[in-house]
Amino acid sequence: MTLLPIHTLIKPIRTAFNQCNQMILEAPTGAGKSTALPLAMLDWDEIDGKILMLEPRRVAARNVAQFIARQRGSALGDEVGYRVRGESKVSANTRLEIVTEGVLTRMIQRDPELTGIALVIFDEIHERHLTTDLGLALALEIQSSFREDLKLLAMSATLAGLPLAKLMPNAAMLSSEGRSFPVEQGYRAAPVQAKWLEHMAKVILEQLAIHSEGSLLAFLPGQGEIHKLHSMLAPRLAADKFSLCPLYGSLPAKAQDIAIAPAAKGIRKVVLATNVAESSLTIEGITQVVDSGYKRQASFNPKTGGTRLSLKRISQASAAQRSGRAGRLMAGFSTRLWSQEEQGRLNQADEPEVVHTDLISMVLDGAYWGVKALNELPLLTLPSPANENVAWQLLASLEMVDTKRAITAHGRAAYELGCQPRLAHMLLTAKELSKQDGNDNLAVLACIIAGTLEARGRSRKGADISHYFAETLASESAKQIRQWINTLKLNCSAGQGLAAVARSAASDDIAMLLAFAYPDRVAKMRGVSGYQLAGGTGVELPSEDALAGQPWLVIADFQETEGRSSGKVYLATPLNEQLFTEQLSGLVDTIEYGGWDDVKGRFFAENQRRIGQILLSKTPIKTLDKQLIKNAIVEQVKLKGLGLLKFDDRTEQLRFRVAIAAKFDTSHDWPALDDAALIASLDEWLSPYLDDVRNIGQLQKLDCYTLLQNIMPWATQQQLERLLPTKWLMATGTHAKIEYDAEHRGRLNVRLQEAFGMQESPKLANGKLVVTMELLSPARRPLALTADLASFWQGPYEHVKKEMKGRYPKHLWPDDPANTQPTKFTKKKTFNSQ
């Protein structure tokens, strides 16, 4: 440990912390920042309190804690311990605690002064996990408000693309060398990209044959690919020579330990891992890496409320981290399954989670902390505005925040349960109903459902969530379920009591509870295998699934996939429609709706019972209300477009002129009159003029020019006339028409003889727009199009004159048009008038 590169910085780090309380440390793979540094800090007298170190991944947190404990010669959980969600090894003697998965943020929320904590270390901050970004933001707030003595250390393998210095401008900056042996880098792109997994299996077998010593680490995007590759390799690798070890986040701890531990004597390990093995984790004996170059990224879709899983290329920084695994212990070999040319086109660094993931838990954290928007926190990267707005709206619908985004008592209770906000709402609601019934079984069932939904790793037994209850109770999730039962103070004996509740759970109760958590995912059958969610989006259930054909479902888990229009249902339960008149009546809205009947050619009005965008029933309203009719017209225009209004040429010209004015004149606030803007603002400019409109014919007679013109104040209308007139006064007294177009051009139409004597085209918009002149024949047929009259007179005019002189001999065709008096008459009339 004393030979690791970080040891050359131990003294500078110690000195720097005696001068300031913030530090940024860049230390590449193998430097020892995650192990040797916190190990040394345990002996620093000036650190008067506990050290917290945040590790983004559970497997790394456990592994690092175990390693440092061994180095100290103490039992895990004594001087050195760890705390991850649902599992902890700490005691009153613990001085170094490795934490992860939002544990730090909850520690801060419970104790904003972090009593007894002297130093917080943020390891692998370059991975940009949501919980890491939030934890750093809250720690900075604490340091600036309550705890100026609190020391903060942000550590990263690379600072490329990481705005840490901007967020922490007064921090000491230190950089360490990495410790890695030479890694021979190769590129083996798949001949057929669609078969990259088969290609990977082939490359792994080749590399194991070429290099007869050392173990191999293969990076794959997800658990599914790991199992597929495992099945390809297992028959072709002798069990007495090779050990195939999967490694991913939801794998049980014992299986993770097997993947990380040294191989048995005479055995070479082949570790099939996700990106959990990228950093802060040394897998014993690895000398070879084969990298697929892929990761699986979950991106939240704010329009549907679902998450889309997509296969994406990793970044250059991630590729470097992966290759470096081969050189941690000795010289190694790395093979990338893409071309060297593609390597140069990869993104420099990974995109932070805060810009593409579901933010509901982070927003509840923010509300609990007291902010009304996440940008009030000192975040490394601002979140997606669309994703954040959806999160606030959902919290409001679950009554966790009020209209001013202040957290409610219900929201506080939900946060303190420590689970996903939707599930927390379900648990608390179930507890209230159980209290009314005098029986806690419903609330216990809610705990079992929540545990099933939060379980890591699940077998495949179809979409019916009840099929997984027994499996959940036999897994690690049972511990979390019992913890919720204790927190909620429910009456249920562990073991047999839980199993009995799960076995006897009524379908209606399961549906009701899931609807509390996912009111926007109540779903009605549509077509053969499709369902429409109350939120509006569509999902599909495999036709062979036991739930297929159920008229109503509550969807607990669905995912969108690139290239598919409908999400795929993973967990659901059948729903009895009768619940909408009983326990779930609160989900039903009754509204008055007016619409247009295309078949009958008239408007109609009806009372509709809806759950979100799903229509339950409707009854006609005999007396039509004016406002309903207006709403129906507006709805029709939104649906079918502005073509219903019959914009004439004058109206279209007004729209073109305003768009051009907005481009060239910033002195006025010009309205947006494009289709999207007008449809978005129909209630402002159209709806007030619909009082007497009863049918489409009357709608099309509206003076839309005046309606759009009235959007602008009088002064703005006058400015438009000055900047972009519709006519131009020629020297002959003719008011020549000017037409504008979508390309921000103006065209003046005039007979060629009336342009004699003009040296240049007119300029509009304070000289910023040169008008294109369409010069016409005496019969008003187009002859030429030019924005440069001087050049036209000197060149193209000669050709026009030769062709037109014989056809129109009575009209002037002078040799020097630029210096000829303009006229709108024939030669005879022109000369007589002179």
Side-chain angles (χ1 to χ4, degrees):
M1 291 290 286
T2 57
L3 297 177
L4 290 171
I6 199 70
H7 268 278
T8 62
L9 286 181
I10 295 292
K11 188 174 180 180
I13 291 172
R14 194 170 183 176
T15 301
F17 265 138
N18 285 324
Q19 297 170 355
C20 67
N21 285 333
Q22 290 184 0
M23 183 178 300
I24 298 170
L25 173 62
E26 184 177 33
T29 296
K33 65 180 182 299
S34 306
T35 51
L37 179 57
L39 177 63
M41 287 176 164
L42 285 170
D43 294 323
W44 292 3
D45 294 336
E46 57 268 40
I47 297 184
D48 184 20
K50 183 184 285 189
I51 300 170
L52 286 181
M53 185 161 78
L54 179 70
E55 281 293 339
R57 305 179 191 279
R58 295 201 319 171
V59 59
R62 291 175 54 254
N63 185 250
V64 168
Q66 288 169 353
F67 181 84
I68 297 176
R70 283 198 305 268
Q71 296 296 313
R72 297 292 287 185
S74 64
L76 184 62
D78 189 16
E79 185 183 34
V80 180
Y82 70 89
R83 193 195 307 261
V84 298
R85 188 158 179 237
E87 182 185 0
S88 66
K89 289 270 188 183
V90 294
S91 67
N93 298 324
T94 302
R95 294 176 53 228
L96 171 62
E97 188 173 325
I98 320 295
V99 299
T100 189
E101 292 189 348
V103 171
L104 174 63
T105 59
R106 292 195 167 270
M107 292 175 74
I108 291 173
Q109 297 273 27
R110 284 196 300 269
D111 177 13
E113 294 189 11
L114 282 181
T115 306
I117 308 296
L119 168 65
V120 182
I121 303 172
F122 295 86
D123 195 16
E124 308 297 0
I125 203 165
H126 65 276
E127 293 191 12
R128 303 306 310 277
H129 290 266
L130 199 66
T131 49
T132 308
D133 281 14
L134 178 60
L136 178 61
L138 296 183
L140 287 170
E141 290 241 311
I142 286 175
Q143 191 185 56
S144 64
S145 303
F146 313 116
R147 289 284 310 280
E148 291 182 3
D149 63 312
L150 181 66
K151 292 176 170 56
L152 301 179
L153 170 58
M155 303 196 301
S156 176
T158 173
L159 293 179
L162 194 62
L164 267 175
K166 185 176 179 181
L167 190 66
M168 304 165 67
N170 299 319
M173 300 275 293
L174 290 172
S175 182
S176 169
E177 301 260 335
R179 189 194 76 168
S180 59
F181 294 88
V183 175
E184 184 181 316
Q185 185 65 65
Y187 292 87
R188 292 280 303 278
V192 181
Q193 202 56 45
K195 296 185 177 181
W196 67 267
L197 197 59
E198 291 91 332
H199 175 68
M200 189 172 190
K202 178 183 175 182
V203 171
I204 288 173
L205 293 170
E206 287 177 0
Q207 292 301 308
L208 289 172
I210 293 170
H211 307 290
S212 58
E213 294 183 357
S215 294
L216 183 146
L217 172 61
F219 282 100
L220 293 110
Q223 184 178 335
E225 289 82 5
I226 287 175
H227 291 314
K228 287 178 184 177
L229 187 58
H230 191 287
S231 65
M232 293 178 191
L233 295 175
R236 304 172 71 176
L237 292 175
D240 61 339
K241 294 181 179 179
F242 295 95
S243 173
L244 272 172
C245 304
L247 180 59
Y248 47 85
S250 61
L251 198 67
K254 289 183 179 179
Q256 291 177 350
D257 290 341
I258 292 172
I260 296 167
K265 188 175 181 180
I267 300 290
R268 299 171 67 189
K269 276 197 309 183
V270 178
V271 181
L272 310 180
T274 61
N275 52 9
V276 299
E278 270 188 26
S279 51
S280 293
L281 197 63
T282 298
I283 302 176
E284 296 291 341
I286 297 297
T287 59
Q288 298 177 65
V289 165
V290 176
D291 186 2
S292 70
Y294 286 118
K295 64 178 179 178
R296 181 154 280 108
Q297 181 172 294
S299 300
F300 181 70
N301 184 345
K303 293 182 180 179
T304 64
T307 296
R308 171 166 295 182
L309 277 181
S310 54
L311 204 62
K312 290 186 176 291
R313 277 296 189 195
I314 60 174
S315 66
Q316 292 185 25
S318 184
Q321 287 284 104
R322 293 182 176 190
S323 292
R325 300 286 105 184
R328 290 295 294 270
L329 304 173
M330 62 188 75
F333 307 89
S334 170
T335 304
R336 292 171 174 166
L337 302 186
W338 62 94
S339 68
Q340 194 164 2
E341 183 271 335
E342 187 178 358
Q343 168 69 16
R345 291 189 278 110
L346 298 179
N347 292 333
Q348 290 289 325
D350 288 325
E351 187 181 51
E353 283 187 354
V354 74
V355 302
H356 62 71
T357 197
D358 184 358
L359 297 175
I360 184 168
S361 293
M362 187 179 189
V363 164
L364 183 57
D365 252 303
Y368 195 90
W369 189 249
V371 300
K372 303 296 190 294
L374 293 179
N375 62 14
E376 295 176 24
L377 295 170
L379 291 166
L380 276 168
T381 303
L382 292 179
S384 157
N387 292 6
E388 182 179 350
N389 285 336
V390 167
W392 284 109
Q393 289 166 12
L394 181 56
L395 288 183
S397 71
L398 298 177
E399 298 181 343
M400 293 185 184
V401 296
D402 62 20
T403 56
K404 296 181 179 179
R405 293 186 173 179
I407 194 164
T408 62
H410 181 62
R412 287 189 174 278
Y415 180 84
E416 286 157 10
L417 280 175
C419 57
Q420 209 267 357
R422 287 178 180 267
L423 302 183
H425 175 70
M426 174 186 71
L427 292 175
L428 293 172
T429 306
K431 181 185 177 182
E432 286 301 310
L433 291 174
S434 290
K435 189 187 296 184
Q436 294 171 17
D437 294 343
N439 185 332
D440 285 346
N441 281 356
L442 184 68
V444 172
L445 175 60
C447 293
I448 295 171
I449 291 172
T452 302
L453 289 170
E454 291 209 337
R456 296 171 68 89
R458 189 184 297 126
S459 62
R460 296 187 177 182
K461 299 179 180 179
D464 193 332
I465 192 172
S466 66
H467 292 170
Y468 299 92
F469 290 166
E471 179 180 297
T472 298
L473 294 177
S475 71
E476 292 179 357
S477 300
K479 183 179 178 182
Q480 178 64 70
I481 291 169
R482 286 191 288 271
Q483 186 176 322
W484 285 325
I485 288 171
N486 292 334
T487 302
L488 293 169
K489 299 178 180 177
L490 303 178
N491 181 23
C492 179
S493 58
Q496 185 178 358
L498 288 175
V501 171
R503 282 194 305 270
S504 61
S507 178
D508 280 2
D509 286 342
I510 297 172
M512 177 182 68
L513 291 170
L514 283 180
F516 291 153
Y518 303 100
D520 51 331
R521 296 186 191 174
V522 169
K524 184 179 183 181
M525 191 173 183
R526 180 177 64 182
V528 179
S529 60
Y531 286 83
Q532 181 193 354
L533 302 187
T537 194
V539 295
E540 288 184 349
L541 189 68
S543 57
E544 68 275 10
D545 194 276
L547 292 182
Q550 290 285 342
W552 290 87
L553 297 174
V554 184
I555 311 295
D557 184 20
F558 78 95
Q559 284 182 344
E560 300 174 352
T561 308
E562 268 186 317
R564 294 175 62 97
S565 58
S566 298
K568 182 179 179 181
V569 176
Y570 287 99
L571 285 178
T573 194
L575 173 65
N576 181 356
E577 193 175 357
Q578 186 63 33
L579 290 173
F580 298 142
T581 60
E582 298 171 355
Q583 294 96 324
L584 296 181
S585 60
L587 300 183
V588 180
D589 292 318
T590 301
I591 61 170
E592 289 186 341
Y593 177 79
W596 175 256
D597 188 327
D598 286 320
V599 177
K600 296 180 179 179
R602 61 179 176 81
F603 290 106
F604 67 89
E606 58 192 22
N607 284 315
Q608 295 186 348
R609 291 176 63 248
R610 287 180 168 270
I611 293 181
Q613 295 188 34
I614 299 176
L615 178 65
L616 293 176
S617 63
K618 57 186 181 181
T619 54
I621 298 175
K622 294 181 180 179
T623 304
L624 296 183
D625 179 79
K626 278 189 177 183
Q627 188 58 47
L628 279 179
I629 295 175
K630 290 167 73 171
N631 292 344
I633 294 173
V634 169
E635 195 64 33
Q636 280 297 296
V637 176
K638 286 180 180 177
L639 184 66
K640 297 182 178 178
L642 296 173
L644 283 181
L645 297 171
K646 297 288 186 185
F647 282 6
D648 58 17
D649 182 64
R650 187 171 175 232
T651 306
E652 292 295 355
Q653 283 295 304
L654 176 65
R655 298 172 73 196
F656 291 145
R657 290 164 68 205
V658 170
I660 297 170
K663 178 180 178 181
F664 292 119
D665 177 41
T666 58
S667 66
H668 283 68
D669 186 14
W670 300 99
L673 300 184
D674 58 277
D675 285 10
L678 288 178
I679 287 175
S681 59
L682 288 170
D683 289 334
E684 286 77 39
W685 68 270
L686 178 64
S687 188
Y689 302 96
L690 297 177
D691 287 342
D692 298 320
V693 175
R694 291 291 179 274
N695 55 55
I696 296 297
Q698 292 173 334
L699 179 65
Q700 293 178 344
K701 290 179 181 178
L702 287 176
D703 180 4
C704 290
Y705 175 86
T706 301
L707 298 189
L708 297 190
Q709 188 182 48
N710 287 344
I711 293 175
M712 298 179 286
W714 174 249
T716 305
Q717 295 179 35
Q718 294 300 104
Q719 176 72 350
L720 182 64
E721 292 303 317
R722 286 191 292 270
L723 291 174
L724 300 166
T726 56
K727 293 184 178 179
W728 184 263
L729 179 61
M730 305 295 292
T732 58
T734 296
H735 288 82
K737 183 180 180 182
I738 302 176
E739 293 181 325
Y740 301 88
D741 62 26
E743 303 301 320
H744 296 166
R745 296 175 300 200
R747 178 186 295 190
L748 186 150
N749 299 277
V750 70
R751 281 180 289 197
L752 184 145
Q753 282 75 15
E754 295 193 64
F756 290 160
M758 291 181 70
Q759 302 300 317
E760 61 180 9
S761 299
K763 292 181 179 178
L764 306 178
N766 295 326
K768 297 176 182 177
L769 177 65
V770 178
V771 173
T772 298
M773 297 192 68
E774 185 173 42
L775 301 173
L776 309 175
S777 71
R780 302 196 69 82
R781 300 286 187 273
L783 292 177
L785 204 63
T786 181
D788 187 351
L789 268 180
S791 295
F792 174 76
W793 294 139
Q794 293 173 12
Y797 169 73
E798 282 298 317
H799 176 75
V800 173
K801 180 180 75 170
K802 286 178 184 178
E803 187 176 334
M804 292 291 107
K805 198 170 184 178
R807 187 177 300 179
Y808 300 102
K810 295 181 180 181
H811 290 76
L812 279 178
W813 301 100
D815 293 332
D816 185 11
N819 294 300
T820 300
Q821 189 74 20
T823 181
K824 55 183 176 179
F825 304 120
T826 60
K827 286 190 288 187
K828 180 178 180 181
K829 193 168 183 182
T830 298
F831 295 140
N832 287 340
S833 65
Q834 293 175 352

